[in-house]
Amino acid sequence: AQKITQTQPGMFVQEKEAVTLDCTYDTSDPSYGLFWYKQPSSGEMIFLIYQGSYDQQNATEGRYSLNFQKARKSANLVISASQLGDSAMYFCAMRHGFQKLVFGTGTRLLVSP
Amino acid sequence: EAGVTQFPSHSVIEKGQTVTLRCDPISGHDNLYWYRRVMGKEIKFLLHFVKESKQDESGMPNNRFLAERTGGTYSTLKVQPAELEDSGVYFCASSQVKGRLSEQYFGPGTRLTVT
C-alpha cells in the first residue's frame, strides 16, 4: 500500500535559517513521483517541488531542495534562508503515473523574525 | 492562463441539505481530481476523471456523494443529504495527460461546513 508519513506536526525556524521537513514513503512500485505542496493560511495548495523515482539528482527549485534518499525511502524538503512568508502547512505527497496523490498529514512551519 | 477555479469558496448548510460544488479545471486538462481535507487530517483522494469518464472513484466515501463531469470540462460534486462529518475543505485539481511531471494544479478549495 502507498503511504506517506510526516512525523513533524509542527516546526519552528528563525528567519534566514534553513529548515528540513521530514517525509518518508512506502510503496512497492519502482516508478513513482514525490511532491511537496505548500498551503498558506489562505488555503490554496501551491506546488513546490517534484522528484521522480528514477531521477539521479536531487531536485532543486530556488530556495527549495529535496533530499531524496531512495534506499531509506525518504524525501525531505529543505528550505534555505527561511522567510516570514514561508509560514504555512507543508504536505508531502506521492503519485504513481496519472493516479491520485497520496498525502501525508502535513507539517506546520512557523518562521519567526 | 486561468488556473483551476472552484465555486463556492465557502458553503454553510444544515445537516440533511444538499450542496453542489463546482470545479473548472485549466483549459485543456483532461485529468480532473477531487480531494477532501477534514479538519486536522490528511488530504484524501475522492475521485479522478479522465475527460468525462471516472477513472478511479475508490475514495468516494459513500453513495451520498455524486460527481459528474459532463462534456469533459467542468465537474460538479454533489453531497445529498449532507452529514456533519462531510465538513471540510474540498479541493479540485487538474493535470495534462502528457508530460513527465504532469503536475496537478489545485484550485483554492471549497470550505464546506455542515451544521
Side-chain angles (χ1 to χ4, degrees):
Chain A
Q2 304 164 28
K3 186 176 180 181
I4 293 284
T5 302
Q6 294 181 256
T7 58
Q8 306 155 316
M11 288 287 285
F12 295 89
V13 66
Q14 276 201 313
E15 205 176 0
K16 299 179 185 177
E17 298 289 315
V19 63
T20 298
L21 306 184
D22 294 341
C23 172
T24 58
Y25 60 92
D26 190 21
T27 180
S28 56
D29 194 322
S31 178
Y32 51 88
L34 296 160
F35 299 76
W36 278 92
Y37 284 85
K38 171 184 178 181
Q39 187 184 39
S41 57
S42 51
E44 73 269 32
M45 295 285 285
I46 301 168
F47 165 75
L48 295 178
I49 196 166
Y50 164 84
Q51 180 85 42
S53 59
Y54 295 118
D55 292 343
Q56 295 297 310
Q57 293 188 317
N58 287 346
T60 59
E61 289 287 347
R63 294 186 298 110
Y64 304 107
S65 60
L66 200 152
N67 184 2
F68 181 45
Q69 297 188 40
K70 195 169 182 177
R72 300 176 67 177
K73 292 190 174 179
S74 74
N76 298 340
L77 177 70
V78 180
I79 305 175
S80 63
S82 297
Q83 301 172 356
L84 296 178
D86 293 335
S87 293
M89 281 290 291
Y90 288 80
F91 292 97
C92 181
M94 176 169 59
R95 192 188 75 205
H96 296 84
F98 293 99
Q99 298 173 23
K100 61 190 178 188
L101 284 166
V102 175
F103 286 89
T105 51
T107 296
R108 182 171 296 281
L109 176 66
L110 183 61
V111 182
S112 59
Chain B
E1 179 183 281
V4 177
T5 58
Q6 293 186 245
F7 182 82
S9 56
H10 291 85
S11 181
V12 181
I13 61 172
E14 292 184 352
K15 176 182 172 179
Q17 290 186 321
T18 297
V19 63
T20 300
L21 313 181
R22 173 170 170 145
C23 168
D24 286 77
I26 292 172
S27 178
H29 282 194
D30 289 335
N31 291 287
L32 188 150
Y33 307 81
W34 283 98
Y35 295 89
R36 175 176 75 171
R37 186 179 187 214
V38 172
M39 180 67 73
K41 298 193 175 182
E42 69 266 34
I43 300 166
K44 288 202 167 181
F45 166 80
L46 295 178
L47 87 159
H48 170 204
F49 284 100
V50 177
K51 297 185 179 179
E52 66 274 11
S53 299
K54 292 177 185 175
Q55 182 76 14
D56 179 0
E57 51 184 330
S58 61
M60 294 288 264
N62 50 61
N63 59 10
R64 295 185 294 104
F65 288 75
L66 175 64
E68 293 181 327
R69 192 182 182 195
T70 306
T73 54
Y74 70 91
S75 174
T76 58
L77 180 64
K78 180 191 288 187
V79 185
Q80 178 182 29
E83 298 288 345
L84 298 179
E85 63 265 25
D86 300 333
S87 295
V89 180
Y90 290 76
F91 291 101
C92 174
S94 72
S95 72
Q96 292 177 309
V97 173
K98 52 188 175 182
R100 184 182 73 97
L101 171 54
S102 298
E103 171 196 341
Q104 291 184 21
Y105 294 84
F106 279 76
T110 293
R111 183 175 296 277
L112 174 64
T113 302
V114 183
T115 62

